Amino acid sequence: MNENEKVTNIFLSGVGGQGAILASNILAEVFLNSGYDVKKAEVHGMAQRGGEVTTHFRFGKKVYSPLIKHGDVDFLVSFELLEAIRYINWVKPEGRVIINNQMVFPPAVNLGLREYPKDVGETFKKYFKGNAYIINGQDIAKNLGSLQSANVVLVGALSSFFPGLKEELFLEAVKGLLASKLHDLNIKAFYEGKKAMERKD
Amino acid sequence: MKKQIMQGNAAIARAASDAGVKVAAAYPGTPSSEILRDIANTYPEIFSEWAPNEKVALEVASGASFAGARALACMKHVGLNVAADPLMTLAYTGVKGGLVILVADDPYSHSSQNEQDSRHWTRFGKVPMLEPGDSQECYDFVKIAFDLSEQFDSLVLVRSETRVSHSDTVVEFGERVEPAEPAGLDRKEWQKYVMVPMNVRAARIKVEERIRKLEAFADEFKHNKMELKDTKIGFISSGVTYNYTKEIFPEWSSLKLGMVWPLPKKMIAEFFEKVEKVVIVEELDPFFETEIRAMGYKPFRGKDVIPVMYELSPDIIEKALKGNEYREPETRVKPEDLPRRPPNLCAGCSHRPLFYALNRLGAFVFGDIGCYTLAAAPPLSAIHTTVCMGAGVAQAHGAMKALGKEALGKVCSVLGDSTFLHNGLTPLMDIVYNKGNATTIVVDNRITAMTGQQEHPGTGFTIKGEPTYMVDYEQIGRALGVKSIRNVDPYNIAETMEVLKEEMDKDEPSLVLCVDAPCVLLRREKKQFEYTLYAIDEDKCRGCKICLNINCPAISWHEGAGESTDGHKRKGTVRINPDQCVGCRVCQQLCKFESIKPVKKSQ
């Protein structure tokens, strides 16, 4: 009855400079070209200075709000562990979570005033049994030759949840949004991300 | 036409081009900054410029309008306050070519010094305002705004806000209007444009007539949309708030206001007639609600339940209006227990050593708007006020006048290069003229950094990257009458402290310029440091934590009891992250135990 029920909510979180915005731009191209209505909202006002970056990404037949309701996230994709746990309450009980296994210390941790949260992966596994995936995006990207491509590794990982989407659309989006010298690297990153998901379970 | 996903600001830029705009001017301000960047990068047919402030931007645009060309001025909400002076009188002169101000609000103050509702300016100025709710409407409404401007001989405001400017939604473009050749300036029209009292009184009548005509038009305007579904409940909303409300209540009726001033009175009357219970959902102030109540209607719900501050969202609306039906998400972890991640000055930023020096000197620092405001937080703790651009310069003067000689050596103001040109020159002139003794420190990082690296009259480049005359701050200072002008290299802490102390002690106006200190993110002027990487010699580190006082993102504390090789007990050591260090050498100057050393960076 409610047409809004068909909307899928993807929440991306990370630290300025990790490529969360680019990742969401790739998703936007892919879902738009697959015939969906798409809306995306970012918070990155001062992210250049090491702050948090979050993106609300929504697709469906018709999307009204660019913002996801608190507690309504279907997929949480996080580029950093602390920025994953910060948004754990946003995810639906049956939601899925993909986390890049990387730590970036915020100032209070650097100064020794606060502790970086422990066992983030375990916490997610506890609440999202079988639906929490910790990806070593950093290592995968490093092996490919560029730390920068960890964001596309995560996009590849996420893509495995949408088998109906044409793979070429992801590759086209990567090509459309990145400089040509980065195409090969990022296309490899996409496939490595996909593979990383196969290895789980 | 192919559908595209596009940021609201990008859609506004495209609309300016498709509307045949000839001149566009702005001062950067989040969330409006991308509009002029996109115009400059993508639409070469438009003359575009960064103006030193919003008042100038609007004045430039209005000049183009008086010459018969379509013109756009862009700014954020606080920028509209700066431009209020020309705004209020341009409402009287009217326009020749279409004249539009795009103002972007920032509910929740994501990156602003206040959270004001720009809709008040439309009522105050007696000019119309449109409010888009997504990128498609950004594109459509900006084009419509130019038509309305010419049709009603009026400046038109278009109000965006963070969630519209910075959301990406689907857009389909319409027809492009070929820009007409400007009709040119006509000396015979002087009574329209010269606002001397005799002409003001004539224009005053026109202002009232125009707003009445616009009221009638509002009832016909196709973007004021009534959607009658189940009429037990109906919502009045505008902009992105409409989208939030539709998300939660798709089954009820709705009156969406595309034009937020003047209001469509007949349409509102009809809505109250057809709908049993009218709920007004608006972000920030009860602007519609006040007006609608003044018309004699009684809304069922409004600001009695919808918050009057911060940004709205679908869940806030759901909570406010559905009450118990709202399902709170499960709390798995308390986010308030997690360390926050506030923005910080970049590794290698030249402001860090300057503010460290000011902190050590114990100065009270009147600050300004820019990255350096981040130095207010501990441990740098060296900015004590931030009001608006240029305010700190005048405030330091006022404070020193109030305190007399006892303030010498204890007070100064700090502002960035772009900010200094925006509104710092006038108060500096005031200090000299009124025999003040305040010290003004210009942190010249050679770009408008906070908003994402925009050019200004001190960088030597235009918005298009073309070389141009570069302001000389020293000459300006002299022209304003400042006699004591000093240059410092902020990366040399001892020398900086010495100069600052001398200047702040002087019983005369001083101008201190931080030189050779470009923004570390600015590729064009990439700061060359002697070494590109420093590292901690863990044998020597005593864990004294002094180097942590500069809050460098590359330096972190690592617990672990032990002792240094010279036998000093320690509770841990610091480390420098080689991926983040750029080699500014500030930390080395603080270390008393010579445990910070340059190393070769391995790639």
Side-chain angles (χ1 to χ4, degrees):
Chain A
M1 49 153 265
N2 186 345
E3 57 185 319
N4 292 325
E5 281 172 11
K6 290 177 216 133
V7 173
T8 303
N9 298 320
I10 303 176
F11 191 95
L12 298 98
S13 64
V15 180
Q18 286 191 309
I21 305 281
L22 176 67
S24 67
N25 288 341
I26 293 173
L27 294 179
E29 289 296 324
V30 170
F31 286 101
L32 179 70
N33 292 328
S34 305
Y36 292 102
D37 187 16
V38 172
K39 283 193 177 173
K40 170 164 102 68
E42 296 149 9
V43 175
H44 58 104
M46 295 192 271
Q48 226 170 16
R49 265 112 333 227
E52 302 168 22
V53 181
T54 60
T55 300
H56 296 239
F57 178 80
R58 314 187 70 212
F59 71 90
K61 197 165 154 244
K62 168 74 192 167
V63 180
Y64 282 110
S65 166
L67 292 183
I68 301 169
K69 279 198 305 186
H70 191 199
D72 234 8
V73 167
D74 296 291
F75 295 92
L76 171 67
V77 181
S78 185
F79 295 71
E80 201 265 355
L81 291 163
L82 171 58
E83 296 315 310
I85 197 97
R86 202 186 297 287
Y87 297 100
I88 190 170
N89 303 335
W90 281 67
V91 189
K92 281 178 186 171
E94 68 278 19
R96 291 143 208 233
V97 179
I98 299 172
I99 307 172
N100 186 26
N101 196 6
Q102 196 197 353
M103 288 191 256
V104 181
F105 289 172
V109 173
N110 270 341
L111 298 174
L113 305 172
R114 296 292 299 268
E115 231 181 288
Y116 192 92
K118 289 197 176 81
D119 305 325
V120 170
E122 293 312 309
T123 309
F124 273 99
K125 280 178 185 157
K126 183 178 126 196
Y127 285 105
F128 301 95
K129 288 185 185 67
N131 282 331
Y133 303 85
I134 316 295
I135 305 277
N136 288 317
Q138 228 48 23
D139 298 340
I140 295 172
K142 219 173 197 169
N143 287 340
L144 290 173
S146 168
L147 277 174
Q148 255 70 41
S149 65
N151 58 346
V152 179
V153 173
L154 291 197
V155 170
L158 178 69
S159 76
S160 60
F161 288 108
F162 304 99
L165 288 183
K166 288 191 194 129
E167 210 165 69
E168 306 88 82
L169 291 178
F170 283 96
L171 305 186
E172 268 170 35
V174 166
K175 285 181 189 165
L177 292 165
L178 286 159
S180 54
K181 62 175 181 185
L182 300 172
H183 289 177
D184 289 347
L185 170 74
N186 281 285
I187 286 167
K188 273 186 212 150
F190 175 83
Y191 283 113
E192 285 297 321
K194 245 184 135 164
K195 249 193 258 169
M197 293 298 286
E198 285 162 18
R199 281 197 293 274
K200 299 274 155 192
D201 297 334
Chain B
M1 183 80 68
K2 189 174 169 277
K3 286 181 181 175
Q4 277 191 39
I5 177 134
M6 204 175 217
Q7 194 195 48
N9 281 347
I12 292 165
R14 169 74 185 243
S17 169
D18 283 2
V21 165
K22 287 239 161 156
V23 172
Y27 183 82
T30 311
S32 72
S33 311
E34 295 86 359
I35 303 169
L36 253 280
R37 178 199 69 188
D38 284 2
I39 288 178
N41 290 346
T42 321
Y43 309 108
E45 71 279 13
I46 301 177
F47 168 80
S48 52
E49 68 165 42
W50 290 126
N53 66 39
E54 299 81 1
K55 180 175 182 289
V56 174
L58 177 55
E59 288 158 352
V60 167
S62 67
S65 163
F66 286 7
R70 285 188 164 187
L72 176 71
C74 303
M75 57 202 66
K76 68 185 294 182
H77 59 312
V78 288
L80 190 55
N81 305 345
V82 178
D85 203 4
L87 161 69
M88 296 301 282
T89 302
L90 288 166
Y92 281 49
T93 62
V95 304
K96 190 188 268 181
L99 178 61
V100 172
I101 299 179
L102 188 293
V103 55
D105 280 6
D106 186 18
Y108 197 65
S109 193
H110 291 283
S111 52
S112 305
Q113 63 268 42
N114 71 29
E115 190 199 52
Q116 67 192 45
D117 188 331
S118 290
R119 290 179 300 171
H120 295 294
W121 283 112
T122 183
R123 181 166 54 187
F124 191 19
K126 297 173 185 284
V127 285
M129 178 184 262
L130 308 182
E131 185 181 4
D134 59 21
S135 301
Q136 181 70 60
E137 289 187 345
C138 281
Y139 175 77
D140 294 337
F141 286 17
V142 167
K143 281 173 77 183
I144 291 168
F146 280 101
D147 293 340
L148 294 182
S149 175
E150 286 163 9
Q151 186 184 340
F152 291 95
D153 187 15
S154 175
L155 164 76
V156 177
L157 291 161
V158 177
R159 180 207 192 210
S160 172
E161 46 100 59
T162 303
R163 215 44 82 178
V164 173
S165 270
H166 283 173
S167 287
D168 291 50
T169 69
V170 179
V171 186
E172 265 183 291
F173 303 120
E175 292 297 308
R176 180 183 148 80
V177 180
E178 273 313 310
E181 272 312 301
L185 294 160
D186 185 351
R187 297 165 58 146
K188 287 197 288 296
E189 292 176 319
W190 72 278
Q191 285 174 312
K192 177 170 162 62
Y193 298 123
V194 181
M195 284 299 109
V196 291
M198 176 181 75
N199 294 343
V200 171
R201 288 170 202 138
R204 185 72 187 80
I205 298 167
K206 281 199 319 198
V207 169
E208 290 307 317
E209 286 172 355
R210 184 180 64 203
I211 207 78
R212 296 285 91 79
K213 279 186 204 156
L214 277 157
E215 251 168 37
F217 172 82
D219 279 316
E220 311 296 320
F221 185 46
K222 70 170 184 180
H223 291 282
N224 285 334
K225 264 194 308 212
M226 202 183 295
E227 295 166 13
L228 293 174
K229 291 178 148 182
D230 191 326
T231 54
K232 276 205 268 313
I233 298 177
F235 297 89
I236 298 180
S237 61
S238 68
V240 75
T241 310
Y242 162 81
N243 289 312
Y244 297 156
T245 310
K246 281 293 271 193
E247 176 82 24
I248 306 297
F249 303 105
E251 67 276 31
W252 303 110
S253 296
S254 168
L255 174 59
K256 178 189 187 285
L257 301 177
M259 183 185 270
V260 297
W261 190 261
L263 294 178
K265 290 187 170 171
K266 279 188 199 156
M267 224 174 197
I268 289 168
E270 193 187 333
F271 196 65
F272 270 88
E273 218 166 84
K274 290 188 169 150
V275 170
E276 281 174 49
K277 289 175 175 174
V278 175
V279 179
I280 301 174
V281 184
E282 56 188 326
E283 205 163 47
L284 302 182
D285 294 338
F287 183 81
F288 299 147
E289 189 173 338
T290 306
E291 287 297 322
I292 287 169
R293 284 184 188 277
M295 287 177 205
Y297 301 105
K298 202 166 174 288
F300 173 65
R301 282 276 178 266
K303 288 295 172 187
D304 54 335
V305 290
I306 302 286
V308 74
M309 58 184 173
Y310 302 160
E311 195 181 6
L312 291 184
S313 63
D315 40 292
I316 290 173
I317 292 170
E318 183 170 37
K319 204 174 194 169
L321 295 172
K322 282 192 177 172
N324 294 339
E325 285 179 56
Y326 174 75
R327 186 171 51 93
E328 283 278 358
E330 183 189 356
T331 303
R332 298 153 183 137
V333 170
K334 285 189 187 151
E336 58 270 27
D337 292 344
L338 299 170
R340 293 183 54 98
R341 192 184 296 278
N344 187 3
L345 294 170
C346 303
C349 175
S350 65
H351 306 331
R352 181 172 282 112
L354 174 86
F355 286 109
Y356 179 77
L358 284 167
N359 176 305
R360 289 285 307 280
L361 290 169
F364 187 97
V365 181
F366 285 93
D368 210 289
I369 312 291
C371 298
Y372 38 89
T373 316
L374 300 171
L380 282 172
S381 307
I383 290 264
H384 305 100
T385 72
T386 302
V387 177
C388 65
M389 292 208 194
V393 178
Q395 288 176 313
H397 171 57
M400 293 188 80
K401 283 287 182 187
L403 298 171
K405 292 258 154 77
E406 70 170 81
L408 279 179
K410 296 175 188 158
V411 176
C412 67
S413 70
V414 176
L415 75 175
D417 42 346
S418 185
T419 323
F420 181 57
L421 297 173
H422 181 282
N423 251 328
L425 302 178
T426 337
L428 182 58
M429 178 163 49
D430 183 60
I431 295 173
V432 178
Y433 173 61
N434 285 306
K435 303 179 180 182
N437 48 15
T439 299
T440 306
I441 303 166
V442 177
V443 287
D444 176 16
N445 62 13
R446 314 227 50 79
I447 204 74
T448 320
M450 188 67 166
T451 42
Q453 307 206 348
Q454 290 86 3
E455 306 293 350
H456 62 67
T459 67
F461 294 93
T462 68
I463 192 171
K464 302 257 189 185
E466 292 158 356
T468 183
Y469 178 75
M470 194 190 323
V471 163
D472 181 329
Y473 301 112
E474 207 170 316
Q475 276 193 49
I476 282 198
R478 292 207 192 291
L480 296 177
V482 185
K483 292 202 173 67
S484 187
I485 302 178
R486 302 282 294 275
N487 289 335
V488 291
D489 170 8
Y491 290 103
N492 185 332
I493 296 174
E495 187 192 287
T496 299
M497 282 177 70
E498 205 179 294
V499 171
L500 292 175
K501 180 88 177 69
E502 278 174 27
E503 293 308 312
M504 284 159 63
D505 280 342
K506 278 186 190 163
D507 191 7
E508 66 170 307
S510 294
L511 179 62
V512 178
L513 304 167
C514 292
V515 297
D516 194 21
C519 171
V520 285
L521 301 179
L522 184 61
R523 287 200 182 145
R524 181 178 67 216
E525 298 207 28
K526 192 161 170 53
K527 174 84 182 162
Q528 296 300 320
F529 295 106
E530 192 180 352
Y531 299 96
T532 52
L533 176 61
Y534 283 76
I536 305 289
D537 180 343
E538 290 198 22
D539 292 339
K540 285 190 174 177
C541 179
R542 291 188 181 184
C544 73
K545 293 188 174 180
I546 279 183
C547 57
L548 294 175
N549 287 332
I550 52 171
N551 201 16
C552 176
I555 308 179
S556 56
W557 173 250
H558 296 263
E559 298 257 341
E563 58 182 53
S564 56
T565 36
D566 60 355
H568 205 90
K569 287 214 166 18
R570 64 188 183 193
K571 288 183 175 163
T573 57
V574 292
R575 281 179 211 156
I576 295 177
N577 180 345
D579 292 335
Q580 285 183 289
C581 178
V582 297
C584 72
R585 208 181 72 84
V586 170
C587 57
Q588 193 198 30
Q589 295 172 61
L590 306 187
C591 182
K592 294 186 182 122
F593 309 106
E594 294 179 341
S595 61
I596 300 181
K597 290 189 172 142
V599 291
K600 265 196 117 171
K601 200 163 196 164
S602 60
Q603 284 306 320

